[in-house]
Each structure stands twice: as structure tokens, then as C-alpha cells.
Amino acid sequence: MKFIDEFRRSDLAQAVSARIQQRSKTPARLMEFCGSHTVAIFKHGIRQMLPPTIDMTSGPGCPVCVTANTDIDKSIALAKIPGVILATFGDMLKVPGSYSSLQEAKAEGADVRVVYSTLDALAIAKENPDRKVVFLGIGFETTTPTIAASVLQAEAEGIRNFSILSQNKVCPPTIRALLDLGEIRLQGLICPGHVSAVIGSHPWDFISREYGIPCVVSGFEPLDILQGIEMLVAQIESGQSKVEIAYRRGVRPEGNRKAIEVIEQVFQPCAASWRGIGIVPGSGLKLRPRYERFDADLAFDIQPGPTREHAGCLCGEILRGVKTPADCRLFGKACTPENPVGPCMVSHEGSCSAHYLYGEDHGE
Amino acid sequence: MMGNKILLSHGSGGKRSHDLISKMFRSAFDNPLLARMDDSAVLDLNGRVAFTTDSYVVTPIFFPGGDIGKLAVCGTVNDMAMMGAKPLYLSIAFVIEEGLLEDDLRMIVESVRQAALEANVQIVTGDTKVVGQGMADKLFLNTSGVGVIPEGIDISGSNARAGDKVILSGTIGDHAIAVLSRREGLSFSTDLKSDCAPLNHLVSQMLQASANIHSLRDPTRGGLATTLNEIAAQSQVGIRIEENQIPVRREVRAACEMLGFDPLYLANEGKLIAMVTPEDAQRVLAAMRAHELGKDAAIIGEVTDKKPGRVTMTTAIGSHRIVDMLVGDMLPRIC
Ligand code: SF4
């Protein structure tokens, strides 16, 4: 934490902002993939420090938001199976599926427990040997290593009543899918810092190589983000496209070998369904055959029933970057963080919630 | 060895109840008004009376820097102090879950006694109920308080005026993070203590320094952001604060980074904000800094006539944004 202050210095931030203002000539649309970036950008007022040439667009990178209704319905159906304890990170609780949410299932008697780490879920399994404890695996490459580690630990300790419902996702294939849709034209991409801390910066190479889009891996402090934008502007103005790292203290080009290994040991790629984007080959993770007995998908007969999308909610379009929360008729009216209609308002990292909570202030 | 536990019969109204009340409560809170043991305390009050009540359901009941008993006294004392009142008398009601250890109850009673002493208030009436296991979470407390408002004092959340300076009495978020650090399943180590404290003496020092304090409020649940929004709405003014001026302990900031929380929304139990005319702001600030509970006080912003009802912030990096109320629960229940 000793870094925080120097990455929030107003004089440095103003100087970077001034350089961006000066340098940026070409109108450019930049996307931050990651929800944590979206929140930081709003929270620190970064959009207001950029010249009119730069249009910031929020991408799909919030693990809660991108979870498709089919998968949420599945978690709810699983939680309702007698004898099951579903352990989940708290942010999944309120997300509405087709007909209800985990929170409602809990109120109706399902045993849903909020945990802060996968180790807590393992502890619950040990304390309840006569119950079946399922951990709801949600998240990107950042959280996957700990989930993989919990499977290894369960195996090592011979815990038999523990399994995971893997809805874990990996990011690079989805960026490709998004770009292939051709709906948005991007001149630059701020790549997720935490994900890159695990997988490195190389997995983004294809974006600059094949699509000609400059990429910068950025951290989450305001100066990290501003610096990332400055580096993107420099690439754009000099006609380059490469992958750069503005987050050297957190990310190495080759990533974290150990974390990658533990993911690869336990999981293998599979197709996954993303809200608003659909099924993306290779963007999901499922347990390898060797760890099949920890796979809740195989251990239970989960019957989620037919899915349904919420009428009027634009989360899908917002996640693809083609609409903004302001385009949604429900935004701030029928849909608020108190009473969210879609996951983009439920999740703290969702675009709708960031717009609602930190709305832009254009000065006085 | 297991200590004695509170049994349902302690709430029966019979011998055990009497024992509990006389051994545990009467002796601890002893004063002539309580000693009469009538059905109500008879109070002699003159002038305008401030009257308030609150219930306390914090988990865990013991936390670094305090416990539910201290919280119950301070919370109610502070609610009165925020009206400029001199708090005088409290009631306290205990809803005890069967099985609570007598020793735990005794410790809480002791800290109620201590806090009342510190705040210079008397506990003049009370109530005890024991409920079955699972019907309460260890211990719930309810306190009500009465105090008198001295002549000439008119402090209200609706009195803030454009030009007023916003003064915060110290670091924010200490209570929330201290309590959170003791939550099961969320153990991170910190030496942080709750700021839980009675603010009436600080307030009276401030009132001596200036007759131009317009609003006072303690930012408890919902934190600084929510409290400022309440005042902005009540007074129909805008409030502009400066992120860089808001005192936040390093430990609190670190915990916030880790857990994804915003200190602006964290609960406090021993802090206040004051809206003071610009001419008197420095004097009030100095009076606050002279008091132990206000030594980190800072002017964090000002009241404006622009955008009534809105709170905005100059961010640390020199940009700006809106600061809204807390919506939903950022944290599990902590106060
Ligand atoms: S405002 Fe609500 S309903 Fe509209 S897109 Fe966002 S989450 Fe969906």
C-alpha cells in the first residue's frame, strides 16, 4: 500500500492530463476492458481530465456482469438441491437470473453462504461432513488460481464433500469475439492489470498484431490509468500498435508462471456463455478429467429450467460497448443500486452502478 | 471452565430476574433516580428537551476499541449532542439471547457504566428480556436519552448555509474497519481501534468557541458521504469537499484497497461534521483540535448555493465527481 499516495498525486496527474491534451489530435475511442478500471475512472473523475478527442468506452470486464442468465439460473437451481451448501463471493448474491436471485433462494430456505475466500468454503465443507458444499467459481484469471488451489487442497486433504461449479472465464478469447462482431471500432485498449499480473502481457499481442489496435496494460491507481492513456495516445499519434505495460510493478510480460501452472493443472478450456456476447469458444474453464469428482456440474442433476432476459435492460449492449447506461430507459428510474434490474447495476464494478454512483460532474 | 450462562429464567420476572437486575445493573448504574426502582424515573427538566432512541445490534459484540455497550451509550449521547443538547439521562434495554455468558454481560455492563461516566450521563431506567436461542444474536441493546438544549442554540441538519465551512473532527472509517477486522472469515490483522466515543464534551467546547455552528452530525452508518448528502438535501444546499483534505488512516486505506470499499461510506462512532460560518471556522477548528477527540480535525470543504442537494468532490488527482449516498449495503451490518 505504500505506493498509493504517489499514484494519486494531483500535480503529477495534472501534468499527465496536460500532456494528453496537448498530444491528442486524432479522435480516438479507447476501451477499458476491466470493471475495476471503469470504477477507478469514474471515482477519480478521469474522464473529465481528457480532451474531447478521446472517447472512453467501458468494456465487458466485470465477472459478475458477464455471467449469463443460464449460468445464474444454474447456480440458483443448484443451491435449491436439498443437502447442498452453496458458497459464493458476496457480489453474486443479488444478481437476478431469469426468475430470481441467489438472495431470494436463500430467503426461501436454500443454504447460501457468503465467503471471502475459497479457503472459507473448504472450512465449511470440513465442518459439515454430512452436507455437500459447492463453491461457485466466478471470475477471470485473477481469481482462478485460488479456486484451482482449493481443488488441489481438497484432494490433498481428502475432502470428499467439496466441489466447484466452474463459471470461471478467461479474457483474451472474448476480446477477440468482441472485435470480430465489428460493432465498435477501437483505437486503443486498456488491458486489465490484475488479469495480466497472472497471464502476462503476451496474450494480448494478437490485438495489436491482427487488429492493429494499440494496447496498454494498466494498474488501477488514477496515475496508472492516466499513464496508460498517455501511452495509448502516443501510439495512436505515431501510428503504432503494440502491447505496452504501464504497470511494471504488477505485471511481467510472461506473467506469473506458478499461477498459470496451477490453473492449467486443474482446468482445461471450454466454451462459455457471456452475457450480451453469447457463446465464445475457449473462453471458459472446466475441471480436467483427473479432477472430475470436484465438478459440481457432473455430481448433481441441475435443472435450471428455461431462461428469460429482462425486458428493457441493455446490459448486453453495454457490455459490448455499443450502448451506455444513459441509453437505458430504466437507468436511475426503475433500475438503481437499491433496486437493480440488471447485473451492470448490481455489481460494484458494473458500468451502470459506476455511472449511477460516481456520475460525472462537469464542474460549476 | 465454562462460565455461568444467562438462562431464560433470568428474564422470567422472578427471583433470578431480580438478582440479575440488582447484582448486574442496579449496582453498575447506581444513582438516586434509578435507586427508587419505580416504574418510571421522574426527571426534572427545564427548557427545550432533546429526546432520542436507538437500537444496537452489532456483530461481534466485542470489537477492538469497544463493545456493544459502549456503542449504545455513545450513539445515543452523540445523537443528542448533534442537536447542541446537553445529554442528561439514558434508558437502557437489554435483549439477551439465552446462553450469553454472564461474564460477557458483566463486561458490557461495565463498559456501559464507564461510557456513561465519561459522557457524564445517568442511566435512570432500564429493561431486561431474555429470549430463546436463535431469537437474538447474543445481545441487542436499546438506549433512549433525554437532554436539554441551552438557550439560544439552534443546530439542525437543515441550517447549513452557502459559504459555511465543513469541518470534520478526525479520521474516517476507523470503527468500520476495526469491527470488520474481527469478523469471522475476514481476518486481516490491524491494530486499528474503533473510534467509539461520546462527543458531547467536544461539542460543548465547540459551542463555547462559536455561536455560529449551523449543523452538526455524526457520520455513522452510511459514512461521511451519506451524512453530507442528508445535510445537502435537508438544507437545500450544495456541498463541495476535497478528497485530499479528508483524514484517513493508512490502515483504513489499505483495508479499503484490499476489500474494494470507499472510506467515504464507512461507519464512524466518534466523529462529527460541523457546518460553520466562514468567519468562525478557524476558531471552531482550533477548539476542536484542543480536544482529544478532535485533534485531527480538518476543514474538508464548503457549502455552496450551486446544485442544491448535491455533494461533489474535488478528487485527489484534481478532477471532480459526484458523491452520492450509500446505496445498498457496502458492508455487512456493523453498527
Ligand atoms: S440501467 Fe439497469 S436495466 Fe438498464 S442496462 Fe443498466 S442494469 Fe440493465
Side-chain angles (χ1 to χ4, degrees):
Chain A
M1 289 313 132
K2 66 175 193 281
F3 291 119
I4 292 178
D5 291 331
E6 54 195 280
F7 288 97
R8 290 191 180 172
R9 271 180 51 187
S10 153
D11 54 339
L12 295 181
Q14 297 294 336
V16 182
S17 162
R19 288 202 299 270
I20 295 172
Q21 305 263 1
Q22 206 176 23
R23 187 84 199 262
S24 174
K25 300 279 181 298
T26 324
R29 182 179 225 191
L30 312 182
M31 177 184 270
E32 80 278 0
F33 175 84
C34 173
S36 306
H37 278 143
T38 303
V39 172
I41 287 168
F42 276 91
K43 195 167 153 181
H44 299 285
I46 288 177
R47 284 187 177 196
Q48 291 92 288
M49 298 177 85
L50 300 175
T53 39
I54 294 183
D55 171 22
M56 296 294 297
T57 301
S58 301
C62 155
V64 174
C65 300
V66 297
T67 304
N69 270 6
T70 43
D71 285 340
I72 296 168
D73 293 349
K74 215 163 133 182
S75 318
I76 296 168
L78 174 62
K80 287 183 174 167
I81 294 175
V84 165
I85 298 175
L86 188 81
T88 172
F89 293 135
D91 41 5
M92 280 307 288
L93 228 56
K94 285 194 197 165
V95 186
S98 299
Y99 300 95
S100 74
S101 62
L102 281 173
Q103 187 172 265
E104 284 165 42
K106 183 174 157 75
E108 286 161 15
D111 196 345
V112 180
R113 311 231 185 134
V114 173
V115 292
Y116 297 92
S117 85
T118 49
L119 295 180
D120 297 339
L122 276 180
I124 295 174
K126 279 193 245 178
E127 284 160 22
N128 297 275
D130 53 333
R131 306 277 296 277
K132 294 198 162 77
V133 176
V134 184
F135 180 77
L136 181 53
I138 294 274
F140 298 140
E141 291 91 330
T142 330
T143 38
T144 319
T146 61
I147 298 175
S150 75
V151 170
L152 296 178
Q153 189 172 342
E155 184 184 54
E157 295 186 25
I159 302 172
R160 302 194 155 270
N161 61 333
F162 176 79
S163 60
I164 64 170
L165 185 68
S166 175
Q167 295 175 357
N168 293 84
K169 292 182 173 57
V170 292
C171 298
T174 300
I175 297 193
R176 182 185 285 279
L178 202 66
L179 296 173
D180 284 344
L181 282 175
E183 291 176 312
I184 44 163
R185 301 246 359 110
L186 294 181
Q187 280 71 41
L189 188 77
I190 299 182
C191 297
H194 292 155
V195 167
S196 307
V198 173
I199 64 175
S201 63
H202 289 317
W204 314 117
D205 287 345
F206 77 94
I207 304 171
S208 49
R209 206 175 47 232
E210 296 175 35
Y211 298 84
I213 297 173
C215 293
V216 174
V217 177
S218 168
F220 298 92
E221 289 303 317
L223 263 169
D224 288 324
I225 297 171
L226 280 167
Q227 191 199 353
I229 294 170
E230 185 183 17
M231 287 161 78
L232 283 176
V233 167
Q235 286 198 46
I236 293 164
E237 296 304 329
S238 61
Q240 288 177 303
S241 74
K242 55 189 177 189
V243 176
E244 292 180 297
I245 300 175
Y247 189 35
R248 287 272 169 196
R249 69 187 187 284
V251 175
R252 279 170 298 167
E254 69 282 8
N256 179 337
R257 235 5 280 172
K258 264 188 106 164
I260 297 171
E261 272 163 21
V262 69
I263 297 178
E264 284 176 351
Q265 182 182 348
V266 175
F267 291 104
Q268 65 188 36
C270 65
S273 184
W274 294 62
R275 182 183 300 271
I277 299 170
I279 294 182
V280 181
S283 69
L285 290 171
K286 66 172 187 183
L287 288 154
R288 289 195 181 275
R290 181 176 177 329
Y291 299 99
E292 250 172 33
R293 64 192 173 88
F294 296 103
D295 191 339
D297 243 328
L298 301 173
F300 297 93
D301 178 26
I302 311 171
Q303 303 272 3
T307 51
R308 180 180 75 163
E309 296 297 327
H310 300 278
C313 174
L314 299 184
C315 281
E317 284 86 345
I318 289 171
L319 293 167
R320 295 204 303 274
V322 296
K323 292 261 168 73
T324 69
D327 296 324
C328 177
R329 281 188 298 120
L330 306 182
F331 177 79
K333 299 187 186 90
C335 182
T336 61
E338 293 273 65
N339 236 326
V341 174
C344 291
M345 191 63 95
V346 176
S347 166
H348 181 66
E349 298 196 342
S351 288
C352 296
S353 137
H355 277 253
Y356 187 92
L357 288 178
Y358 300 122
E360 282 173 60
D361 169 27
H362 296 285
E364 276 156 8
Chain B
M1 208 194 75
M2 291 287 279
N4 289 339
K5 287 180 180 167
I6 297 294
L7 308 174
L8 276 173
S9 57
H10 278 114
S12 65
K15 171 122 180 41
R16 274 227 163 90
S17 307
H18 278 274
D19 282 356
L20 184 73
I21 290 166
S22 64
K23 285 206 197 104
M24 191 78 90
F25 303 128
R26 220 187 112 176
S27 57
F29 309 143
D30 190 34
N31 62 61
L33 289 165
L34 182 70
R36 271 191 220 144
M37 295 307 271
D38 283 332
D39 285 348
S40 332
V42 178
L43 310 176
D44 200 351
L45 297 167
N46 273 316
R48 284 179 304 154
V49 172
F51 176 42
T52 184
T53 188
D54 208 345
S55 300
Y56 297 83
V57 294
V58 63
T59 330
I61 56 176
F62 295 97
F63 47 82
D67 58 40
I68 190 169
K70 184 175 182 186
L71 203 62
V73 172
C74 297
T76 295
V77 163
N78 292 348
D79 282 345
M80 288 185 273
M82 294 310 121
M83 300 306 293
K86 177 174 160 37
L88 294 171
Y89 303 113
L90 296 191
S91 74
I92 186 157
F94 291 78
V95 178
I96 307 170
E97 187 188 18
E98 170 192 21
L100 180 73
L101 291 178
E102 267 194 34
D103 285 347
D104 283 356
L105 183 59
R106 191 165 294 112
M107 276 162 72
I108 286 162
V109 166
E110 173 57 18
S111 69
V112 167
R113 197 182 72 79
Q114 285 287 346
L117 212 63
E118 197 184 330
N120 197 19
V121 293
Q122 287 183 334
I123 289 167
V124 294
T125 181
D127 177 45
T128 318
K129 293 283 181 297
V130 179
V131 299
Q133 266 187 22
M135 290 171 68
D137 191 358
K138 291 197 177 79
L139 179 66
F140 295 160
L141 295 183
N142 171 277
T143 42
S144 298
V146 288
V148 290
I149 301 175
E151 196 72 31
I153 287 188
D154 178 22
I155 290 174
S156 159
S158 50
N159 286 358
R161 280 186 230 145
D164 283 356
K165 295 287 179 199
V166 181
I167 312 180
L168 172 65
S169 68
T171 55
I172 55 170
D174 303 8
H175 174 74
I177 298 299
V179 172
L180 212 62
S181 72
R182 290 303 151 97
R183 273 288 164 71
E184 256 173 82
L186 195 67
S187 41
F188 52 92
S189 67
T190 166
D191 299 332
L192 214 64
K193 287 195 167 59
S194 165
D195 56 357
C196 182
L199 295 167
N200 51 329
H201 304 310
L202 175 66
V203 170
S204 77
Q205 207 148 306
M206 293 164 67
L207 289 172
Q208 270 164 36
S210 163
N212 294 309
I213 297 175
H214 291 149
S215 308
L216 283 173
R217 191 152 290 177
D218 54 337
T220 54
R221 254 190 330 181
L224 181 64
T226 304
T227 304
L228 290 173
N229 270 281
E230 284 164 6
I231 294 178
Q234 265 181 285
S235 298
Q236 274 307 298
V237 292
I239 296 176
R240 183 97 177 171
I241 53 171
E242 305 247 345
E243 187 168 26
N244 276 336
Q245 299 307 318
I246 301 171
V248 185
R249 280 184 209 285
R250 279 188 100 72
E251 301 97 297
V252 170
R253 259 209 255 180
C256 282
E257 292 297 318
M258 198 170 88
L259 301 166
F261 296 152
D262 186 338
L264 290 178
Y265 294 94
L266 296 180
N268 311 279
E269 291 295 342
K271 297 290 153 41
L272 62 79
I273 50 168
M275 310 292 179
V276 183
T277 52
E279 305 78 46
D280 284 9
Q282 286 301 336
R283 201 155 359 115
V284 173
L285 184 67
M288 291 170 80
R289 287 187 173 159
H291 192 281
E292 176 59 24
L293 294 176
K295 63 179 185 327
D296 297 322
I299 295 177
I300 61 163
E302 65 179 18
V303 178
T304 70
D305 54 7
K306 301 185 185 94
K307 303 185 191 169
R310 270 264 175 234
V311 180
T312 55
M313 180 162 83
T314 305
T315 62
I317 57 167
S319 188
H320 32 80
R321 71 160 161 98
I322 288 167
V323 176
D324 211 329
M325 291 220 178
L326 173 64
V327 276
D329 310 328
M330 186 171 64
L331 302 171
R333 195 185 70 206
I334 49 159
C335 63

